[in-house]
Amino acid sequence: YTCSKCGEGYHDSFKKPAKAGVCDACGGTDFTRRADDNRETVVARLDAYHRQTAPILPHYKAQGSLHSVDGMADIDVVAGQIDAVLAKVG
């Protein structure tokens, strides 16, 4: 969710405002959430991934065209992994 006043981003579990209901950046108290930020949307997106994307991954892996990056790593590590892949294929 984001602060309606300045756009600062927050997360229900991983990045809450220091003071509940008050934006750390500007002190605003009005927050908005994307309309599609809900369980049903996540379930639909995961279903589409498993039906449409996952089945083609072995094809690209066999060609040597599939490159994996650990998206759960620290942002600097992810960026380094992406840069390394781009340097290899570029």
Side-chain angles (χ1 to χ4, degrees), residues 14 26 34 39 49 52 54 59 62 72 86:
F14 303 111
C26 74
R34 287 176 41 162
R39 184 181 192 288
Y49 168 80
Q52 300 170 356
H59 169 77
M72 297 304 292
L86 293 175

Side-chain angles (χ1 to χ4, degrees), residues 31-46:
F31 296 88
T32 57
R33 187 178 297 271
R34 287 176 41 162
D36 66 347
D37 186 9
N38 57 60
R39 184 181 192 288
E40 295 79 20
T41 301
V42 172
V43 168
R45 288 180 181 159
L46 286 172

Side-chain angles (χ1 to χ4, degrees), residues 2-74:
T2 59
C3 173
S4 298
K5 185 175 178 183
C6 73
E8 180 70 18
Y10 294 95
H11 187 275
D12 291 326
S13 299
F14 303 111
K15 186 183 176 195
K16 296 178 183 179
K19 182 178 178 188
V22 180
C23 177
D24 296 338
C26 74
T29 57
D30 186 34
F31 296 88
T32 57
R33 187 178 297 271
R34 287 176 41 162
D36 66 347
D37 186 9
N38 57 60
R39 184 181 192 288
E40 295 79 20
T41 301
V42 172
V43 168
R45 288 180 181 159
L46 286 172
D47 178 59
Y49 168 80
H50 289 293
R51 283 186 298 103
Q52 300 170 356
T53 304
I56 66 171
L57 296 178
H59 169 77
Y60 289 104
K61 186 173 184 175
Q63 286 186 335
S65 301
L66 181 66
H67 303 275
S68 296
V69 171
D70 178 7
M72 297 304 292
D74 288 335

